[in-house]
Amino acid sequence: MYYSPHKLLRRTVHSYYTVPAVLFLFLVTCVCSPLSAQNNNGGNNNGNNNQNNQNQNAGGITIDAAGVISSPFRVAKNSKQLNGRRLEALAAETLSTDLNQKSEFRKISLVKLEQACRELKEKNQPIPPEVQYLAGLWRIDYLFVDQENNDLIIAGPAEGFAANTQNRMVGVESGRPPLRLDDLAVAFKSQERGLITGCSFDAKRENLARMNEYIRRTNGASSTTTAVTRFKTMAKILGMQDVSVTGVPAGSNYARVLVEADYMLKRISIGLEPSGIREIKSHLATLRGGGNSTQRWWFTPLYDAFTTTADRDAFTFSGQRLQMMSQEEFVNQAGQRSDAAQTRLSTTKYAQQFTKHFAKLADQHPTFAELQSITDLTVLAALIKKERLEQQIGWDHRFFSSEMDYLVPEGNIPKQVPTAMNYKKASRLMICLVGGGVTVNARAVVNRTEFLTSRDNTLDQKKTAAFERRGEKAARWWWD
């Protein structure tokens, strides 16, 4: 059994090699197109360092002190009933009774939230969980402008929350992570500067050159066993890939979510991590022989039209928030990438399948639910800026923008990730996959998404309900 990759040697990253009965995928490069990076703030969080472990030790990846990302760690899975009872018990111990309640329409005053944070800092107090996790709100469905009280109010579903067995904070009933204060502050800061947020993993150019040289030296017919050994060697040659984060502080939870979602996308695509969704198989499982190309996948925002009132003082968020895009590429010996003239049908279909069932995936994987959350917060910040809502109520959210050291705990900065590979038996095929990426261009979302004026009074009724505060709730920053 033999193969010969002569005609493919002119490419730096080879995607398809003719070989009997083995299919390979290499995780080579994550491609995205963010603009400029925001400098990581170097200060320490005096009152909130207890949240740092959320950055490197929670969820699906670990980031060590050197910035090296490890594969998702495994934990013993309890039954849904046992895990639910455990979360309920933890939430009951740590949260007030009213906070630990499920609500389909929990409201948060952004102005009063900022004021509460300012008061905590003035008293040199740490940020409590109810503030850090925005009163258990896990999705933004509405944004209201309260002109009378000079306030901006967000609203959506909420519930009690507690840390799961992976040390990730999740809702007691839904299992979805609540929105986070530090992500909100990062989102405001990024949109204040009009930045695109994202991440990428990039193979070192010298390693790409070494891999080319290795392919040139081993360019000869071989058995399948030898072919397997050669491709494993190529993975070792590619070695550690550089991780870059743009638009946000590299040590923030926001950055960790970008990197983790990117990494999990890659692992699911090449079959190293199960999706947990019957409709989403690995790309590896769907591939057949034929053709030569490299492939990349990346996440971008996906929103339905924003519904607004005639006075544009209320807005509805809808849609699944994210979609997966695909593109085939060619890479030359100098490591330069260019888009292929066409993207094969299997690549396009896989991206469409991933997008179609992404909502189910986010329900199963908190990683992707958190990516939805930071996208919501970033689009929120961009919408507020586009509509000049701060100016309408006389609010400059200066504390959110200037007190990043206090509001945003800094964890380990992701710097490197090892090359991963996978293969399967197939008909005369080896494939190299260039996969992954996250690009959140929130400004483009609010500029390009359609705004529809509500034709009935439903949104006005929601706005009126949002402004109703009775008793002690009138002075509180959140209420049901």
Side-chain angles (χ1 to χ4, degrees):
M1 304 175 80
Y2 301 96
Y3 80 99
S4 177
H6 287 81
K7 62 181 180 180
L8 299 175
L9 286 177
R10 64 181 178 273
R11 298 195 182 108
T12 300
V13 180
H14 298 66
S15 54
Y16 293 98
Y17 287 82
T18 303
V19 64
V22 183
L23 172 62
F24 285 83
L25 280 86
F26 278 84
L27 215 59
V28 181
T29 310
C30 151
V31 183
C32 65
S33 57
L35 297 180
S36 57
Q38 174 177 320
N39 291 331
N40 182 52
N41 74 73
N44 293 321
N45 185 321
N46 295 326
N48 207 21
N49 280 327
N50 61 321
Q51 300 296 339
N52 282 355
N53 63 351
Q54 295 292 332
N55 289 324
Q56 62 259 23
N57 295 327
I61 61 172
T62 57
I63 305 171
D64 68 17
V68 176
I69 299 171
S70 300
S71 299
F73 54 81
R74 304 287 183 176
V75 295
K77 292 185 177 180
N78 298 324
S79 70
K80 185 175 181 179
Q81 292 79 9
L82 287 175
N83 191 50
R85 287 199 294 268
R86 174 185 171 275
L87 291 173
E88 288 175 1
L90 288 173
E93 290 177 4
T94 57
L95 303 177
S96 62
T97 302
D98 56 349
L99 184 65
N100 192 26
Q101 298 293 322
K102 183 177 179 180
S103 172
E104 293 300 326
F105 193 51
R106 183 158 293 170
K107 283 78 70 177
I108 292 177
S109 160
L110 294 179
V111 174
K112 290 191 175 182
L113 172 65
E114 184 186 46
Q115 181 181 345
C117 293
R118 183 185 295 109
E119 291 172 356
L120 286 167
K121 185 175 188 298
E122 289 173 352
K123 297 176 182 178
N124 197 29
Q125 293 179 353
I127 297 174
E130 69 174 76
V131 177
Q132 175 63 23
Y133 296 102
L134 298 188
L137 189 74
W138 57 264
R139 188 181 66 220
I140 298 174
D141 287 343
Y142 302 98
L143 168 63
F144 302 110
V145 185
D146 186 351
Q147 300 280 6
E148 182 178 347
N149 296 295
N150 295 322
D151 204 355
L152 292 178
I153 298 168
I154 57 174
E159 61 187 317
F161 52 88
N164 66 9
T165 52
Q166 288 188 319
N167 199 32
R168 191 197 297 269
M169 203 65 71
V170 296
V172 168
E173 187 171 325
S174 70
R176 295 182 63 95
L179 302 179
R180 294 176 53 127
L181 173 69
D182 51 345
D183 293 338
L184 175 65
V186 169
F188 269 120
K189 189 70 173 180
S190 71
Q191 295 315 295
E192 185 179 276
R193 301 175 60 186
L195 299 178
I196 297 174
T197 61
C199 72
S200 66
F201 300 173
D202 300 295
K204 292 179 173 60
R205 182 162 296 190
E206 58 269 28
N207 290 349
L208 291 172
R210 287 176 56 218
M211 186 178 72
N212 257 346
E213 175 61 19
Y214 175 78
I215 294 172
R216 187 190 66 77
R217 288 188 289 103
T218 57
N219 180 29
S222 70
S223 67
T224 299
T225 301
T226 302
V228 170
T229 300
R230 287 179 179 177
F231 273 78
K232 288 182 177 179
T233 300
M234 288 168 63
K236 291 181 180 179
I237 290 173
L238 285 175
M240 303 299 291
Q241 298 177 41
D242 294 328
V243 178
S244 61
V245 174
T246 57
V248 299
S252 64
N253 178 75
Y254 191 119
R256 183 193 61 78
V257 172
L258 291 172
V259 170
E260 182 179 315
D262 183 5
Y263 192 46
M264 291 292 286
L265 166 63
K266 291 182 172 75
R267 292 180 62 84
I268 291 173
S269 298
I270 67 175
L272 291 177
E273 189 78 20
S275 71
I277 303 298
R278 179 176 57 83
E279 297 88 349
I280 299 181
K281 301 177 181 178
S282 70
H283 188 50
L284 172 61
T286 64
L287 284 170
R288 299 294 182 267
N292 303 302
S293 71
T294 57
Q295 303 167 14
R296 65 182 174 103
W297 320 99
W298 70 102
F299 284 121
T300 63
L302 177 64
Y303 283 77
D304 294 340
F306 294 101
T307 303
T308 185
T309 56
D311 294 332
R312 295 180 85 87
D313 58 359
F315 302 85
T316 300
F317 286 52
S318 61
Q320 68 180 35
R321 277 49 174 180
L322 290 160
Q323 63 183 329
M324 192 171 89
M325 308 295 288
S326 63
Q327 173 66 51
E328 298 210 12
E329 292 191 336
F330 293 113
V331 185
N332 64 21
Q333 288 184 329
Q336 297 171 323
R337 298 186 293 262
S338 61
D339 291 345
Q342 293 181 328
T343 296
R344 70 184 59 238
L345 186 61
S346 63
T347 303
T348 301
K349 281 188 173 181
Y350 186 70
Q352 291 172 344
Q353 168 187 280
F354 213 97
T355 297
K356 181 179 180 180
H357 301 289
F358 184 79
K360 289 183 180 179
L361 190 70
D363 285 337
Q364 290 289 324
H365 287 268
T367 296
F368 298 119
E370 279 202 87
L371 186 61
Q372 286 179 315
S373 295
I374 64 172
T375 303
D376 252 3
L377 292 170
T378 311
V379 170
L380 168 71
L383 178 60
I384 290 172
K385 183 176 181 180
K386 174 184 180 295
E387 297 292 314
R388 300 181 179 178
L389 302 183
E390 315 106 307
Q391 297 177 23
Q392 291 183 33
I393 65 168
W395 179 54
D396 60 10
H397 54 80
R398 184 172 300 173
F399 187 84
F400 281 158
S401 301
S402 63
E403 296 295 336
M404 298 288 281
D405 288 357
Y406 177 71
L407 297 170
V408 183
E410 183 180 350
N412 292 339
I413 295 175
K415 296 178 181 178
Q416 290 188 313
V417 62
T419 296
M421 60 89 69
N422 201 6
Y423 62 89
K424 75 168 186 177
K425 291 183 178 180
S427 176
R428 300 180 61 79
L429 175 68
M430 288 186 181
I431 181 172
C432 166
L433 173 68
V434 177
V438 182
T439 302
V440 181
N441 188 342
R443 182 169 55 181
V445 171
V446 297
N447 285 336
R448 297 173 185 172
T449 302
E450 187 177 9
F451 284 75
L452 300 177
T453 302
S454 178
R455 295 184 177 181
D456 56 32
N457 62 352
T458 302
L459 189 53
D460 283 302
Q461 290 175 350
K462 281 287 186 181
K463 179 183 67 176
T464 301
F467 295 167
E468 291 181 354
R469 310 183 210 186
R470 296 185 177 90
E472 64 177 18
K473 295 181 180 180
R476 200 162 65 177
W477 60 270
W478 74 268
W479 64 98
D480 288 327

